[in-house]
């Protein structure tokens, strides 16, 4: 229980997963880690990024990592204060970063709870047993205002969609087509100023939560395509390493093979974080602030319902995405694979959700299409949740955020008549921004050639497009959303289909202009380059 020397951490209140059942007390002697985020020493980045994104790419001057750390990183005095407090509570400082504004503390769970009191117990859920936190976190009064977030008590996993190979095959069978076929379909640029565009000089970061990649599979895959083998490196975050051999491999290999097929000369850095605690936010932060590999674009294919996050988490991710935009780093995020449910049938709580972090205004939210009679329509397999292969209910994620207000670029686009949520009847940040094919990607996983897809394939495909555009412009194009909404003609509208799940949950219809299934539509890469 918190003492009189502790105060509530604003925005830390959260609930449990729906239908959780108490499973007993936690083991107070187990070793755990918390990521403690610290306030910025400088002014908010919002205005800087807004002015930056309003300028043509050629005129933009991004912040260097050193400038970002100096102007908007943590004050060393604040970091020192947290360090001193940690030492008084038998906690070790595992990592300290002024640029990332964080300290990772390691110790016994009991000591961590004494330092930052919270209600933490074990719970059973359909997705597995997890250490769950509910209610608020308390911080020492002397650190009030200094500490802006505490992450790691709760171990519920982020969402991913299993069983892709049984669901996303071409209706005619086969192992799918390489991502380069979709790059041609969406007119990705291949030449600029007489030079081949292949991603050379760019680094694509990919965020993964478990699993791993096999170099043998990658060599075989690209040899089968008669394509160059990209340079792929694994980056460990919070002690997790490249560990192939489990179900998450499908996500990892899909992301690498899609990006590598389209931008084979780009460096691909895969950041592996644990799928629990602070692993997700730490992996994204590590990529955004990596001064050695310097990614220019980041692909994220993981997430979960926005209303499952507490406000401190929403704010922390938002600050990291702002830091990326200030540096000219583009963030591409999958919008989810189960329509407006945003959860598979086993986990669904009967409510309509929008996926986070795709709902953040500073990311490029990537929805899905499928190709019928030569045209892109909303991705939807037409099945209900139930006893069908993979659980059913596969459709492009999308909707109207209840967490984020309508951003300026969408306000201008909708001209005073924004769409409203079918859940709240209120406007908000619309998801997704763009869409491309979510089905029939040829991949190789654990020695087997097979089809795959989902919006998880669209995020790395979009990231590869950004890498090509960066190479063509010889400059990072950065935060792309204001440009796309102001130049919607560079997109091809998708006007047919719905992301409602048959017999299960209502959704949105595709139509003229932006919609909450496919956003502005599919990109025309050459048209985008021409307008940039």
């Amino acid at each position: 229980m918190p003492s009189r020397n502790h105060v509530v951490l604003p925005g830390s209140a959260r609930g449990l997963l729906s239908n959780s059942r108490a499973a007993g007390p936690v083991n107070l002697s187990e070793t755990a880690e918390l990521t403690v985020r610290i306030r910025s020493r400088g002014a908010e980045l919002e205005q800087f990024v807004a002015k930056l994104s309003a300028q043509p790419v050629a005129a933009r001057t991004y912040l260097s990592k050193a400038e970002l750390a100096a102007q908007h990183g943590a004050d060393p005095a604040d970091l020192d204060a947290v360090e001193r407090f940690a030492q008084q509570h038998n906690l070790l400082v595992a990592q300290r970063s002024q640029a990332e504004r964080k300290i990772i503390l390691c110790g016994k769970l009991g000591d961590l709870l004494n330092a930052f009191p919270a209600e933490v117990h074990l719970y059973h859920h359909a997705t597995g047993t997890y250490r769950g936190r509910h209610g608020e976190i308390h911080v020492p009064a002397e650190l009030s205002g200094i500490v802006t977030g505490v992450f790691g008590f709760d171990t519920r996993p982020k969402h991913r969609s299993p069983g892709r190979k049984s669901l996303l095959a071409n209706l005619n069978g086969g192992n799918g087509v390489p991502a380069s076929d979709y790059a041609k379909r969406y007119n990705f640029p291949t030449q600029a100023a007489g030079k081949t565009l292949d991603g050379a000089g760019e680094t694509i970061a990919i965020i993964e939560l478990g699993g791993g990649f096999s170099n043998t599979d990658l060599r075989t895959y690209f040899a089968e395509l008669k394509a160059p083998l990209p340079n792929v490196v694994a980056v460990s975050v919070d002690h997790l390493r490249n560990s192939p051999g489990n179900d998450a491999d499908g996500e990892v290999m899909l992301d690498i093979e899609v990006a590598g097929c389209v931008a084979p000369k780009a460096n691909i850095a895969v950041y592996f974080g644990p799928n629990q605690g602070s692993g997700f936010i730490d992996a994204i932060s590590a990529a955004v602030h990596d001064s050695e590999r310097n990614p220019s674009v980041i692909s994220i294919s993981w997430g979960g319902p926005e209303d499952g996050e507490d406000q401190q988490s929403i704010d922390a991710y938002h600050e990291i995405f702002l830091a990326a935009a200030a540096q000219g780093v583009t963030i591409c995020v999958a919008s989810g694979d189960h329509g407006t449910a945003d959860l598979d049938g086993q986990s669904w709580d009967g409510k309509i959700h929008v996926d986070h972090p795709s709902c953040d205004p500073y990311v490029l939210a990537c929805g899905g299409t499928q190709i019928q009679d030569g045209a892109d329509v909303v991705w939807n397999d037409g099945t209900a949740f139930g006893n069908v292969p993979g659980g059913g209910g596969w459709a492009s994620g999308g909707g109207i955020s209840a967490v984020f207000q309508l951003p300026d670029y969408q306000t201008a686009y909708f001209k005073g008549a924004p769409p409203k949520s079918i859940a709240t009847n209120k406007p908000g940040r619309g998801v997704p921004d763009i869409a491309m094919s979510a089905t029939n990607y040829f991949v190789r996983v654990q020695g087997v050639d097979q089809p795959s897809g989902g919006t998880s394939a669209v995020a790395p495909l979009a990231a590869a497009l950004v890498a090509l555009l960066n190479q063509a412009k010889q400059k990072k194009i950065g935060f792309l959303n204001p440009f796309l909404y102001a130049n919607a003609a560079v997109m091809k509208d998708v006007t047919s289909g719905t992301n409602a799940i048959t017999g299960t949950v209502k959704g949105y219809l595709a139509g003229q202009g932006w919609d909450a299934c496919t956003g502005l539509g599919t990109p025309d890469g050459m048209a985008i380059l021409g307008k940039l």
Side-chain angles (χ1 to χ4, degrees), residues 331-344:
I331 310 286
C332 304
V333 185
S335 68
D337 290 348
H338 291 290
T340 55
D342 198 42
L343 294 165
D344 59 35

Side-chain angles (χ1 to χ4, degrees), residues 401-423:
S401 173
V403 172
F404 288 104
Q405 295 180 350
L406 203 68
D408 288 345
Y409 53 83
Q410 288 189 328
T411 298
Y413 174 83
F414 292 126
K415 296 180 173 62
K420 296 180 180 179
S421 167
I422 57 176

Side-chain angles (χ1 to χ4, degrees), residues 70-355:
Q71 298 173 26
H72 301 279
D75 188 323
D78 287 345
L79 295 170
D80 290 343
V82 175
E83 239 182 43
R84 287 193 298 270
F85 173 79
Q87 292 167 355
Q88 294 166 6
H89 286 76
N90 304 313
L91 303 175
L92 298 176
V93 175
Q95 183 182 343
R96 167 177 166 152
S97 173
Q98 178 184 353
E100 294 188 61
R101 291 169 40 203
K102 74 177 186 182
I103 286 183
I104 297 180
L105 302 179
C106 178
K108 293 181 179 179
L109 181 57
D111 289 333
L112 290 166
L113 284 167
N114 284 333
F116 302 99
E119 285 291 327
V120 180
H121 303 280
L122 293 179
Y123 295 91
H124 293 308
H125 187 259
T127 57
T129 300
Y130 71 101
R131 190 174 72 210
R133 178 181 71 78
H134 65 93
E136 297 167 318
I137 297 175
H138 294 76
V139 298
E142 66 264 32
L143 297 181
S144 178
I146 294 176
V147 171
T148 62
V150 176
F151 308 95
F153 281 132
D154 200 300
T155 63
R156 70 188 78 183
K158 288 293 179 182
H159 178 65
R160 64 183 177 88
S161 297
R164 298 181 189 283
K165 66 180 180 180
S166 63
L167 301 168
L168 302 168
N170 185 295
L171 295 177
N172 297 321
N175 287 328
V177 299
S180 53
D181 281 23
Y182 294 118
K184 293 176 183 177
R185 177 179 183 83
Y186 302 120
N187 203 23
F188 285 16
T190 58
Q191 296 280 331
K195 294 184 178 179
T196 298
L197 298 181
D198 51 17
E202 301 298 318
T203 296
I204 300 172
I206 296 175
I207 306 301
E208 300 294 355
L209 302 180
F213 60 85
S214 160
N215 286 308
T216 299
D217 276 349
L218 291 178
R219 284 193 295 270
T220 301
Y221 176 82
F222 286 100
E224 289 178 344
L225 295 180
K226 296 181 173 58
L229 178 68
N231 179 44
V232 183
V233 297
V235 183
S236 175
V237 179
D238 295 350
H239 318 295
L240 193 73
R241 300 182 182 278
N242 176 34
S243 303
N246 60 58
D247 288 345
D249 291 0
E251 193 79 40
V252 178
M253 296 298 285
L254 170 67
D255 292 342
I256 295 172
E257 289 166 350
V258 168
C261 189
V262 177
K265 293 297 180 67
N267 294 313
I268 298 177
V270 188
Y271 295 76
F272 288 97
N275 192 10
Q276 63 178 32
S278 57
F280 191 35
I281 193 169
D282 285 350
I284 297 172
S285 182
V288 169
H289 293 280
D290 190 340
S291 58
E292 294 184 28
R293 298 165 192 87
N294 284 310
S296 57
V297 58
I298 299 174
S299 173
I300 303 173
S301 296
W302 299 73
E306 63 176 3
D307 47 355
E309 299 286 349
D310 54 13
Q311 191 60 48
Q312 64 158 356
S313 298
I314 296 290
D315 292 344
Y317 283 100
H318 187 67
E319 290 168 356
I320 294 170
F321 296 140
L322 267 173
Q327 299 174 79
V329 177
T330 311
I331 310 286
C332 304
V333 185
S335 68
D337 290 348
H338 291 290
T340 55
D342 198 42
L343 294 165
D344 59 35
Q346 183 183 29
S347 307
W348 188 48
D349 57 5
K351 300 177 182 178
I352 289 174
H353 302 287
V354 179
D355 190 80

